[in-house]
Amino acid sequence: MTVREAIQIVERAVGPLYGAPEATAIARQVVCRSCGYSFSQLVVHYDDSIEIADFNTIVNQLSVARPVQYVLGKAEFCDLDFAVREGVLIPRPETEELVGLVAGVATKGMRILDVGTGSGAIAVALAKRVAGAEVVAVDISDAALEVAAENVAHHGVNVTIVKADALGDMSHLGEFDIIVSNPPYIPQSDIANMHANVVDYEPHTALFVADNDPLVFYRSIAQNGLKMLRSGGRLFFEIYEHFAGQMVQMLESLGYRDTVVVKDVFGKERMVWSRR
C-alpha cells in the first residue's frame, strides 16, 4: 500500500460522514501519525510504500464516526501532542486562542489556575509559554485527571494536578493571578444538531449544560474567583457564542470590572475576560 492509497481508503470510509475536505484532513492525520511524516512531507512521499499497523481496524473505527484523536490516542494542541482517550474531551483548535489570550498578558512566575482541565491541554500549554508559571489544573473526573497527569509528565512542565469540583468551593487551592476555564457550555437542546463523532463518543459532562441554567459553571467559577483571585487578577473563559451578553451581565453583577468579549478567528464571540 502506498501513502496515496492509504489516504484514499480513509477518505472513502469517512467522506460520507464529514465531507471531502475534512475527510482528507483525517486521512492525512492517520498517515502522518502512523508513519512519522509531517503534513508538508506527504507531497513528496505519496508513492512511498508503507505499512500501518491495524490499518483495517483504524478504518473501521473511523467509519462509525469514532474521532480520529481517540482512534490514534493523540491530539495536537498549540503545536504539542497530547494523549486523549474516551472519557476525556478532545482539545479544540479554537481553545488555542484562549491560551494565546492568557499567555499574552501573563508575566513570569504568575500563579495560574485551570478549571476543568480535561486532558491538561490548557495547563500544559500555558506552563510552556509563561516562564516560571506555577500552574494548578483541576478536574472532577478521575479519567481526566489520569490523562492530564500523563500529559504533564510527558511534557515535563510545572503543573500540579488536583481533584476539585468547579461547582464547589475551591478556595483551599489558594490565591491566583489568573483563573482560566473552558467549562461545559453547550445547551442540551443543541445535541440534536451535533455530529455523531461528538455526541456518541465525547463525554457529555464535559460538553453540555441544562438549558435552564447554561451559565452554571461560569457563575460558580466566577464566585470562586472573588475569593481566590488577587487584587487585579484576571478571569478568562471560553464561552458559547450566543451567551456573550449574559456572561458580561453576570460578571459585572458579581463586581468584576473591565470585562471584554473577544471574537475568535471565525468572528464568533468565543472568549471573555474580566478583572477582579
Side-chain angles (χ1 to χ4, degrees):
M1 179 174 63
T2 64
V3 167
R4 189 188 309 274
E5 289 168 342
I7 289 175
Q8 291 172 344
I9 290 168
V10 176
E11 285 175 332
R12 287 195 295 269
V14 303
L17 297 171
Y18 302 104
E22 190 168 355
T24 298
I26 290 170
R28 289 174 175 172
Q29 188 172 346
V30 169
V31 172
C32 285
R33 288 201 171 275
S34 301
C35 301
Y37 295 138
S38 67
F39 284 132
S40 61
Q41 288 175 323
L42 282 184
V43 177
V44 295
H45 288 283
Y46 270 133
D47 295 315
D48 286 6
S49 293
I50 57 171
E51 290 187 10
I52 297 177
D54 301 318
F55 182 66
N56 290 336
T57 300
I58 290 172
V59 173
N60 289 337
Q61 290 180 0
L62 292 171
S63 71
V64 294
R66 189 179 181 212
V68 63
Q69 295 89 347
Y70 287 158
V71 173
L72 300 177
K74 295 286 184 181
E76 185 177 304
F77 182 82
C78 290
D79 297 323
L80 301 169
D81 273 345
F82 288 87
V84 290
R85 293 191 286 274
E86 273 87 351
V88 180
L89 190 69
I90 298 167
R92 265 56 174 185
E94 52 265 39
T95 307
E96 295 182 9
E97 296 185 59
L98 178 65
V99 169
L101 191 65
V102 176
V105 301
T107 56
K108 184 176 181 178
M110 277 191 166
R111 197 159 191 257
I112 302 171
L113 175 65
D114 173 27
V115 181
T117 196
S119 65
I122 291 175
V124 169
L126 286 173
K128 285 276 191 181
R129 293 189 181 193
V130 182
E134 180 188 346
V135 182
V136 177
V138 304
D139 208 292
I140 192 63
S141 163
D142 289 330
L145 293 170
E146 181 180 333
V147 172
E150 182 179 330
N151 286 318
V152 167
H154 173 71
H155 290 289
V157 290
N158 181 24
V159 175
T160 302
I161 305 293
V162 180
K163 185 171 184 176
D165 187 355
L167 297 179
D169 184 356
M170 298 183 289
S171 60
H172 62 283
L173 298 172
E175 290 189 329
F176 293 86
D177 301 287
I178 289 174
I179 296 176
V180 58
S181 183
N182 175 24
Y185 60 69
I186 303 173
Q188 289 180 341
S189 56
D190 279 15
I191 292 177
N193 300 317
M194 296 182 69
H195 200 279
N197 68 316
V198 175
V199 176
D200 292 350
Y201 292 94
E202 294 200 66
H204 283 207
T205 54
L207 288 166
F208 301 109
V209 289
D211 288 45
N212 64 357
D213 192 9
L215 304 188
V216 58
F217 284 95
Y218 297 109
R219 187 183 309 108
S220 178
I221 295 166
Q223 288 170 337
N224 272 284
L226 295 175
K227 297 177 285 186
M228 299 171 68
L229 280 171
R230 295 176 174 133
S231 178
R234 303 192 200 201
L235 181 64
F236 291 85
F237 287 125
E238 181 174 322
I239 64 171
Y240 189 56
E241 60 187 285
H242 302 303
F243 294 151
Q246 294 179 47
M247 283 291 302
V248 172
Q249 291 176 5
M250 183 269 290
L251 291 168
E252 291 180 346
S253 72
L254 290 175
Y256 285 90
R257 55 193 174 87
D258 303 329
T259 302
V260 177
V261 175
V262 181
K263 293 182 179 180
D264 63 18
V265 293
F266 303 107
K268 296 180 179 180
E269 294 180 319
R270 182 63 64 193
M271 293 157 282
V272 64
W273 71 268
S274 283
R275 196 185 302 274
R276 173 72 173 92

